[in-house]
Amino acid sequence: MLSSSVMIRRFCSFSVTASSSAPSTITSNSKKKRLVFLGSPQVSASVLDALFNASAAQDSLFEVTAIIAQPPTRRDRGRKVMPSPVAQHALDRGFPSDLIFTPVKVGEEAFLSNFKALEPELCVTAAYGNILPTKFLNIPSKGTVNIHPSLLPLYRGAAPVQRALQDGVKETGVSLAYTVRKLDAGPVIARERVTVDDQIKAPDLLELLFALGSKLLIRELPSIFDGSASGRAEEQDDSRASLAPKITPEESWLSFDEDAQVLHNKVRAFAGWPGTRARLMVIDPSSGESGSIELKIITTRIYSGIRSQDIEANDVLFTKGSLVIPCGGDTALEVLEVQLPGKRTVNAASFWNGLRGQILKK
């Protein structure tokens, strides 16, 4: 029995009466391999969906025995306590609520005791969000594998897709690797490469890479379960490793003294969260009064004209449906979509019309 002091939360506890019995077990086929999935955001839910679908096949080698996700959080305007997208998706698919665990820390002894009782053979992680301690990693007999959206050893860390786009990479990919205590440094089972379009934003690239990662995982599961994957997995070359540290809100500001390509890459990389922001001057030509406005920059592209011939150093022009802002290195950025605080996203034409003749300067 799990006491109320144990930092394990079950989704059945949202009902009027919570079950105090031991967790359920899935007994559809005792010969199937027991897989535990760890993930939290929406991109993780897509991986879980692929596992559910694959496990339902008649010739499937495995079953999803339990799910581990981040604890419920307060989200949306109503600030309601809501399960993570992974937990909600599992519930929507009819997965037993008492087999969905949301521990604050997976290293907590009471949780580990119950996790061990499930006798997991393999754990699969996809953007779970917590570092797994050794005592957790030692429990599944076939180890833990992670879907990581980069070509490891490149971009190890919390924000691989965002940092890759910020760097303007032309190619990235997804890796399936064993999890070890060192961050994203385990042997790589397989990789899939992807050419990066110069307009794609982080949320779309993240979705694409996890979709590819799901296919990679399903393809490689037989070799992971029979042990052959661990024998052929490629050790990472630490000398080639690069890091992808977590993004902070303070990084979201744009400085137009930088090259337009740098700014365009940042807009793509930080799309979704935290976004990119800029301040512009607004001048009323009739009165000469001026003030500043804060804009969230949503969509951009590189201005293809010759900046020095078209734009004064601090002027912001509106041409061919976009705002053109002069940047460093004699470059310029076209801004196609913006958002004022508390307002919806609009295209550049709508924003320009709303200025009613006022002049914009950077």
Side-chain angles (χ1 to χ4, degrees), residues 122 141-145 176-179 186-190 220-235:
L122 177 68
S141 58
K142 296 297 182 182
T144 297
V145 297
L176 184 64
Y178 284 103
T179 300
V188 176
I189 300 167
E220 297 295 335
L221 275 177
S223 67
I224 296 171
F225 280 122
D226 70 23
S228 60
S230 62
R232 61 177 170 80
E234 174 190 320
E235 294 289 341

Side-chain angles (χ1 to χ4, degrees), residues 15-340:
S15 61
V16 175
T17 303
S19 168
S20 61
S21 61
S24 305
T25 56
I26 297 176
T27 57
S28 58
N29 188 335
S30 60
K31 294 181 180 179
K32 287 191 174 185
K33 307 294 185 181
R34 299 168 67 79
L35 183 151
V36 174
F37 178 75
L38 295 85
S40 297
Q42 189 59 49
V43 287
S44 305
S46 67
V47 179
L48 178 59
D49 201 51
L51 286 170
F52 278 151
N53 293 339
S55 67
Q58 285 188 339
D59 60 348
S60 173
L61 295 171
F62 72 96
E63 61 191 8
V64 179
T65 302
I67 294 165
I68 303 172
Q70 293 286 347
T73 57
R74 294 187 182 277
R75 298 202 305 274
D76 299 335
R77 292 183 179 179
R79 304 301 291 166
K80 294 180 179 179
V81 177
M82 299 177 66
S84 70
V86 159
Q88 186 61 60
H89 184 72
L91 292 170
D92 292 343
R93 288 287 300 252
F95 194 80
S97 60
D98 61 336
L99 289 173
I100 303 172
F101 297 99
T102 59
V104 174
K105 294 182 179 180
V106 292
E108 202 275 333
E109 290 298 334
F111 168 74
L112 287 175
S113 176
N114 285 277
F115 174 60
K116 190 172 183 179
L118 294 169
E119 298 180 346
E121 294 175 71
L122 177 68
C123 287
V124 172
T125 64
Y128 171 53
N130 273 348
I131 295 175
L132 302 176
T134 300
K135 52 189 175 181
F136 178 97
L137 297 174
N138 287 340
I139 292 175
S141 58
K142 296 297 182 182
T144 297
V145 297
N146 177 47
I147 296 175
H148 186 78
S150 81
L151 296 174
L152 291 172
L154 302 178
Y155 297 104
R156 295 174 178 175
V161 169
Q162 294 91 331
R163 297 304 184 185
L165 287 179
Q166 188 178 8
D167 287 347
V169 300
K170 303 300 182 184
E171 181 185 68
T172 187
V174 61
S175 302
L176 184 64
Y178 284 103
T179 300
V180 296
R181 277 294 293 156
K182 187 176 179 181
L183 181 65
D184 297 324
V188 176
I189 300 167
R191 296 182 183 88
E192 188 79 28
R193 296 179 179 273
V194 173
T195 300
V196 179
D197 179 87
D198 64 3
Q199 289 297 124
I200 195 168
K201 298 177 181 178
D204 296 326
L205 183 54
L206 196 64
E207 183 179 344
L208 170 63
L209 292 177
F210 273 100
L212 291 174
S214 299
K215 294 178 181 179
L216 209 59
L217 171 67
I218 300 304
R219 188 189 80 192
E220 297 295 335
L221 275 177
S223 67
I224 296 171
F225 280 122
D226 70 23
S228 60
S230 62
R232 61 177 170 80
E234 174 190 320
E235 294 289 341
Q236 294 187 42
D237 181 355
D238 288 346
S239 69
R240 295 181 54 244
S242 60
L243 297 180
K246 184 179 179 180
I247 292 168
T248 65
E250 292 74 24
E251 294 181 76
S252 65
W253 289 101
L254 298 180
S255 170
F256 294 111
D257 292 336
E258 294 186 285
D259 189 280
Q261 185 69 61
V262 172
L263 300 180
H264 175 60
N265 290 341
K266 191 172 184 178
V267 170
R268 297 159 59 216
F270 289 16
W273 191 91
T276 45
R277 297 176 289 169
R279 286 193 179 96
L280 295 174
M281 293 293 298
V282 181
I283 301 171
D284 186 332
S286 60
S287 65
E289 293 183 355
S290 65
S292 67
I293 56 170
E294 179 184 319
L295 284 176
K296 198 167 186 179
I297 308 299
I298 306 297
T299 304
T300 59
R301 66 186 173 209
I302 306 301
Y303 180 60
S304 59
I306 302 173
R307 203 209 84 179
S308 60
Q309 294 181 3
D310 300 332
I311 318 170
E312 294 296 329
N314 293 314
D315 287 349
V316 177
L317 300 183
F318 176 74
T319 179
K320 298 180 180 179
S322 65
L323 302 172
V324 180
I325 303 176
C327 301
D330 205 31
T331 63
L333 186 71
E334 288 190 61
V335 177
L336 307 178
E337 290 181 307
V338 299
Q339 184 181 14
L340 286 163

